[in-house]
């Protein structure tokens, strides 16, 4: 075989199987340790926030507009899983007043180091045709898969409540629009949390949403707006914040609502049929008469035999009013219905393995034969 054929064989027979093995191991570790990891991640922000407070007190740092976590490939090449943490004003990378710290992501990247060792062992079987430089290039390319777990952890860790506490405790000035982003240094980054306290015109926002643009609403903040009676069929609202909003009698059928937040929203008679709602939150929302027929709420990795991205967190309807809601044919694995009002709700044909109904009101709710969650509601 020539070198191209050897590399192709190595990729299919060694690289790919070991990559999926590594990532499934990391997935299991992340899901089992996510709460402890989230605490450590939030703690990693404390030093830089103290620096921001001091700089703002001295007049050398304006209101905070961004905090970014950047993967450093040079550090990875030297065996260090170090992320650069930067706090910046609204000018982003044009902010001339440097405020930096670091975050140690060894908990995730140790899997990459172990994988590299395993790859090197298998490479020896190719008679020296695959060298250390090849393994190093493969490692740095595969780092992006590990990086996805830093994004997932940041998204899981940072909440509105936590930010309010931090802002109050540190007396930090924030811009009306504040973002926490994770990416590569001076390269592409992804929003993992966005706060936008600007007053928005509901009519303008509703008109914009009804245009159903493919990418414009991802991670956007529509908190507190009134978009009732809207037609949003097929809309993409991944990780958008619609908490405390009003979307009564609105249609979202077939939409991608992964990671969206609807906490305390008023969604009476809203139609979410056929929507992807993985990782979404509807806590304390008014969903009387809403429809989630054939909705998909699958936690974890969707295709269990192949890793494509970090697994989703379970959907939460905790404390929501779901009186008369329709869930026929929905896939509701591990969904949290703790304390929800489910009087007259229809779960006929729904699959809800692992769902929690603790403290839920189930009077008059309909379930397929043998599926009534009596045991779950008492645990």
């Amino acid at each position: 075989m020539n070198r191209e054929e050897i590399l192709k064989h190595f990729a299919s027979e060694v690289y790919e199987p070991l990559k999926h093995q590594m990532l499934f191991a990391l997935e299991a570790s992340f899901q089992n340790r996510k709460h402890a990891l989230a605490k450590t991640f939030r703690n990693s922000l404390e030093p830089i926030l103290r620096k921001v407070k001091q700089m703002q007190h001295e007049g050398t740092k304006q209101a905070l507009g961004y905090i970014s976590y950047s993967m450093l490939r040079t550090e990875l090449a030297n065996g260090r899983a170090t992320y650069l943490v930067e706090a910046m004003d609204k000018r982003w990378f044009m902010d001339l007043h440097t405020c930096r710290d670091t975050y140690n992501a060894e908990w995730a990247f140790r899997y990459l180091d172990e994988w590299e060792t395993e790859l090197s062992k298998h490479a020896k079987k190719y008679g020296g045709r695959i060298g250390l430089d090849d393994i190093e290039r493969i490692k740095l390319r595969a780092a992006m898969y590990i990086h996805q777990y830093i994004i997932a952890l940041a998204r899981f860790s940072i909440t509105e409540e936590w930010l309010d506490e931090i802002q109050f405790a540190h007396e930090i000035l924030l811009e009306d629009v504040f973002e926490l982003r994770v990416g590569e240094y001076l390269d592409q980054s992804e929003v993992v949390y966005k706060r936008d306290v600007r007053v928005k015109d509901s009519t303008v926002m509703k008109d914009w949403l009804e245009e159903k643009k493919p990418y414009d609403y991802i991670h956007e903040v529509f908190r507190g707006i009134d978009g009732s009676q809207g037609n949003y069929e097929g809309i993409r609202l991944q990780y958008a914040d619609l908490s405390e909003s009003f979307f009564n009698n609105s249609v979202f059928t077939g939409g991608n609502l992964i990671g969206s937040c609807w906490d305390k929203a008023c969604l009476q008679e809203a139609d979410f049929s056929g929507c992807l709602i993985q990782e979404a939150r509807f806590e304390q929302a008014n969903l009387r008469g809403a429809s989630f027929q054939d909705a998909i709420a699958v936690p974890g990795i969707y295709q269990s035999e192949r890793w494509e991205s970090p697994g989703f967190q379970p959907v939460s309807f905790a404390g929501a009013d779901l009186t008369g809601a329709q869930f026929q044919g929905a896939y509701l694995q591990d969904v949290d219905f703790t304390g929800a009002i489910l009087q007259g709700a229809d779960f006929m044909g729904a699959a809800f393995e692992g769902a929690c109904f603790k403290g839920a009101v189930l009077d008059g709710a309909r379930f397929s034969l043998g599926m009534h969650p009596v045991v779950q509601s008492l645990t």
Side-chain angles (χ1 to χ4, degrees), residues 185-284:
Y185 184 58
L186 295 179
D187 205 332
Q188 290 185 339
S189 63
E190 184 171 335
V191 177
V192 296
Y193 175 84
K194 183 171 182 176
R195 182 180 189 175
D196 185 349
V197 298
R198 295 174 299 180
V199 177
K200 299 178 179 63
D201 185 305
S202 291
T203 301
V204 173
M205 291 293 102
K206 181 183 177 184
D207 289 345
W208 183 39
L209 286 168
E210 288 190 316
E211 292 179 24
K212 290 175 276 193
K213 295 181 179 294
Y215 305 109
D216 289 22
Y217 318 123
I218 299 172
H219 282 290
E220 279 299 331
V221 178
F222 301 99
R223 193 183 187 101
I225 73 164
D226 189 346
S228 297
Q229 310 287 336
N231 180 5
Y232 311 108
E233 182 179 1
I235 197 168
R236 300 179 67 174
L237 289 168
Q238 296 100 304
Y239 298 100
D241 181 1
L242 303 105
S243 53
E244 300 180 10
S245 58
F246 295 81
F247 283 93
N248 295 317
N249 299 104
S250 292
V251 176
F252 296 91
T253 52
N256 185 336
L257 312 183
I258 291 174
S260 54
C261 179
W262 308 77
D263 292 350
K264 299 181 181 179
C266 198
L267 306 165
Q268 294 187 73
E269 306 290 339
D271 191 351
F272 296 98
S273 298
C275 284
L276 300 176
I277 59 171
Q278 293 96 321
E279 213 162 282
R281 297 203 318 268
F282 296 87
E283 296 180 5
Q284 300 181 57

Side-chain angles (χ1 to χ4, degrees), residues 285-299:
N286 182 346
L287 286 154
R288 296 173 69 92
S291 175
F292 287 90
Q293 294 184 45
D294 300 315
I296 303 296
V298 182

Side-chain angles (χ1 to χ4, degrees), residues 96-127:
L96 301 179
H97 300 284
T98 303
C99 185
R100 293 177 169 176
D101 209 280
T102 58
Y103 169 67
N104 184 357
E106 189 275 337
W107 68 269
F109 281 91
R110 71 177 182 84
Y111 289 88
L112 189 66
D113 294 335
E114 294 170 0
W115 179 68
E116 179 187 21
T117 300
E118 196 66 23
L119 279 182
S120 298
K121 291 179 182 177
H122 285 273
K124 293 177 181 178
K125 300 175 184 178
Y126 288 80

